[in-house]
């Protein structure tokens, strides 16, 4: 068993396991993660890599996390409700991620919903005709996307892997597939750009089959939908398949418990101070709650949905923009609701201290953001 802190780097991990650092890097690559020696790994990745080398992990900075974990509430069966799936669109450059996400945000908002989606907060929730909801992560540009993904993107329930029918299954397509597979996230394939004369969806199905991803229409288990994001063809059919996948997952959450979730993005806004988009994964986040996110904390002063409407609370699978944190937490970090600001401050500063110590140890450590930017 390895005793670890949350902030272990690739080389730290290698020396703890007494294996060459190149082997750790290779293992990371095999799960679709490009890492450098001084890069810190998230807990999930550390677990995966350690297991690969026959180690169990025990996170000691759990001391810090423990304080949070102590309020682990037990969910009563009767309190559990079905929550909407949280979906990410992944794929190679130019294969149509943005077009699909734009199409979804513009067309599938239920008729008459005031205003439509007006602000970009990195995630949005769409409501379908039958009242079912799907939450899409919509991280801007592919850098932020890579960074989120590299952080483990544990927030995703289902991945839509988009492949352009006039192209091939490309390196980034494979990377996306490998990453989703490693994380145990079910995939729905979207073969895009079928409106193009040069489109050849069968070629894509063939290339997927060659990777051992046999699609349903060929007798396999993977759902696949031909679409045109640009022309809006078969978008509902794709969403139906996503919902079908979601049903199989039986996604449940307890809206009565204290909220936990993930940070999607954050920034410093001139007028409003630090703003952070968070995705509530369990519980209900309320105006006035004390939120602890990574090394930052604060009382929620206001919350807004993606339609820029003020909301008082946000239930499971709902993304909201919150005001009131004392800094900008990193995308991918977890947030918890704490009892008191004192408690939140204590843990935040403990984490800050831990991070500083780790930073001095690995002076030239690349952050994931930097790494993503270099790509
Ligand atoms: P990156 O963010 O750069 O990785 O690209 P992306 O995956 O977001 O692709 P994007 O949506 O920007 O689409 C790339 C190009 O393909 C754009 O010129 C789109 O207009 C075009 N495109 C996307 N979907 C379709 C489609 O269904 N049919 C056609 N004909 N063109 C499409
Ligand atoms: Mg894009």
């Amino acid at each position: 068993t390895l005793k670890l802190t949350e902030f272990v780097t690739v080389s730290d991990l290698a020396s703890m396991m007494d294996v060459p650092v190149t082997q750790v890097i290779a293992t990371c690559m095999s799960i679709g993660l490009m890492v450098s020696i001084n890069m810190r790994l998230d807990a999930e990745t550390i677990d995966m890599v350690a297991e690969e080398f026959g180690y169990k992990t025990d996170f000691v900075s759990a001391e810090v996390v423990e304080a949070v974990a102590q309020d682990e509430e037990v969910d009563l069966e009767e309190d559990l409700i079905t929550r909407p799936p949280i979906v990410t669109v992944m794929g190679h450059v130019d294969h149509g991620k943005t077009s699909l996400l734009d199409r979804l945000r513009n067309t599938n908002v239920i008729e008459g919903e005031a205003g439509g989606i007006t602000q970009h907060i990195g995630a949005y929730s769409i409501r379908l005709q039958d009242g079912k909801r799907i939450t899409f992560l919509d991280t801007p540009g592919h850098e932020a996307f890579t960074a989120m993904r590299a952080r483990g993107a544990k927030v995703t329930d289902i991945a839509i892997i988009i492949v352009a029918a006039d192209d091939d299954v490309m390196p980034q397509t494979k990377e996306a597939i490998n990453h989703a597979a490693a994380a145990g996230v079910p995939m729905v394939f979207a073969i895009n750009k079928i409106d193009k004369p040069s489109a050849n969806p069968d070629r894509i199905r063939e290339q997927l089959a060659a990777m051992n991803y046999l699609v349903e229409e060929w007798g396999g288990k993977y759902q696949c939908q031909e679409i045109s994001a640009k022309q809006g063809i078969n978008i509902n059919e794709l969403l139906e398949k996503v919902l079908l996948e979601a049903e199989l997952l039986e996604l449940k959450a307890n809206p009565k418990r204290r909220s936990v979730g993930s940070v999607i993005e954050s920034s410093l806004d001139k007028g409003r101070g630090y703003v952070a988009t968070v995705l509530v994964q369990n519980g209900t986040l309320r105006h006035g709650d004390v939120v602890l996110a990574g090394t930052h904390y604060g009382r929620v002063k206001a919350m807004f949905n993606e339609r820029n409407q003020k909301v008082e609370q946000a239930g499971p699978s709902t993304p909201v923009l919150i005001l009131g944190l004392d800094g900008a937490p990193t995308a991918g970090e977890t947030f918890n609701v704490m009892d008191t600001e004192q408690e939140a401050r204590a843990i935040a500063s403990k984490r800050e201290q831990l991070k500083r110590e780790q930073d001095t140890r690995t002076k030239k450590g690349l952050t994931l953001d930097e790494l993503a930017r270099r790509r």
Side-chain angles (χ1 to χ4, degrees):
T1 301
L2 300 175
K3 293 228 173 246
L4 300 154
T5 71
E6 283 176 286
F7 305 108
V8 158
T9 65
V10 173
S11 75
D12 290 343
L13 184 60
S15 60
M16 275 185 253
M17 299 191 298
D18 201 20
V19 299
V21 71
T22 47
Q23 277 190 28
V24 174
I25 293 175
T27 305
C28 289
M29 274 174 72
S30 73
I31 56 170
L33 212 64
M34 299 293 293
V35 298
S36 61
I37 288 183
N38 292 318
M39 201 167 106
R40 283 190 216 130
L41 297 171
D42 60 67
E44 202 192 4
T45 310
I46 293 171
D47 269 346
M48 262 190 282
V49 174
E51 202 190 306
E52 199 65 32
F53 292 95
Y55 285 94
K56 284 196 164 39
T57 53
D58 178 15
F59 289 90
V60 242
S61 82
E63 180 199 340
V64 175
V65 182
E66 234 166 71
V68 172
Q70 265 165 17
D71 69 35
E72 264 312 311
E73 295 167 41
V74 185
D75 297 324
L76 296 174
E77 190 63 35
E78 70 219 43
D79 290 337
L80 294 177
I81 56 157
T82 299
R83 66 169 177 83
I86 299 164
V87 179
T88 313
V89 177
M90 304 202 275
H92 194 73
V93 185
D94 279 353
H95 279 197
K97 298 178 291 290
T98 303
S99 303
L100 177 59
L101 287 162
D102 286 350
R103 167 66 57 184
L104 292 167
R105 73 161 64 222
N106 292 328
T107 59
N108 279 282
V109 178
I110 210 162
E111 286 308 324
E113 186 130 44
I117 295 169
T118 50
Q119 64 173 350
H120 187 107
I121 64 170
Y124 57 80
S125 164
I126 62 170
R127 183 138 45 104
L128 306 176
Q129 297 304 333
D130 57 6
K132 290 196 177 118
R133 281 181 173 278
I134 304 179
T135 302
F136 282 93
L137 289 184
D138 175 19
T139 44
H142 119 251
E143 289 178 4
F145 195 77
T146 313
M148 272 292 285
R149 238 194 298 157
R151 272 188 200 98
K154 222 177 163 181
V155 283
T156 312
D157 298 310
I158 296 167
I160 293 178
I161 309 286
I162 191 166
V163 197
D166 65 338
D167 200 359
D168 294 300
V169 168
M170 297 295 279
Q172 257 183 287
T173 318
K174 288 183 183 160
E175 190 187 312
I177 292 173
N178 290 340
H179 198 85
V185 173
M187 290 170 250
V188 174
F189 292 100
I191 301 183
N192 190 30
K193 308 198 187 184
I194 53 156
D195 59 293
K196 283 193 155 184
S198 55
N200 185 355
D202 269 341
R203 189 180 53 214
I204 304 302
R205 281 187 274 266
E206 208 174 288
Q207 292 173 354
L208 290 174
M211 289 176 68
N212 264 326
Y213 290 95
L214 197 60
V215 297
E216 226 169 27
E217 57 269 42
W218 284 11
K221 61 174 182 176
Y222 293 91
Q223 296 199 82
C224 178
Q225 181 63 54
E226 294 184 12
I227 61 164
S228 167
K230 198 168 176 179
Q231 310 284 343
I233 301 167
N234 291 345
I235 302 300
N236 280 323
E237 285 76 1
L238 175 65
L239 295 177
E240 285 305 320
K241 291 185 175 170
V242 168
L243 285 173
L244 200 69
E245 205 67 51
E247 267 171 41
L248 298 175
L249 292 173
E250 295 184 36
L251 304 166
K252 303 275 189 209
N254 175 5
K256 290 187 178 167
R257 62 175 288 155
R258 268 201 281 190
S259 181
V260 294
S262 295
V263 175
I264 305 300
E265 56 183 46
S266 65
S267 60
L268 179 57
D269 183 289
K270 263 190 192 149
R272 301 185 290 182
Y274 289 101
V275 297
T277 300
V278 298
L279 182 62
V280 176
Q281 290 172 276
N282 205 353
T284 300
L285 182 63
R286 295 192 170 76
H287 180 218
D289 278 351
V290 176
V291 167
L292 168 69
T295 56
H296 299 287
Y297 76 100
R299 206 174 270 283
V300 177
K301 281 198 295 206
M303 296 201 287
F304 299 89
N305 64 18
E306 66 274 26
R307 292 168 185 82
N308 209 15
Q309 296 159 329
K310 219 170 186 170
V311 292
E312 286 301 310
Q313 56 179 52
S317 299
T318 311
V320 273
L321 183 95
I322 63 173
L323 270 54
L325 292 182
D326 70 345
T330 312
E333 253 164 352
T334 306
F335 80 82
N336 295 80
V337 167
M338 308 300 291
D339 276 334
T340 63
E341 280 185 75
Q342 288 85 325
E343 199 186 348
R345 186 190 310 129
I347 297 174
S349 66
K350 220 185 224 177
R351 285 176 176 173
E352 181 64 50
Q353 184 194 340
L354 236 152
K355 199 167 124 190
R356 257 201 315 272
E357 284 168 14
Q358 193 74 34
D359 281 347
T360 33
R361 239 185 291 156
T362 57
K363 264 201 198 87
K364 283 194 232 146
L366 273 182
T367 67
L368 286 161
D369 281 328
E370 284 158 357
L371 189 83
R373 242 175 264 132
R374 289 185 176 201
R375 290 188 157 191

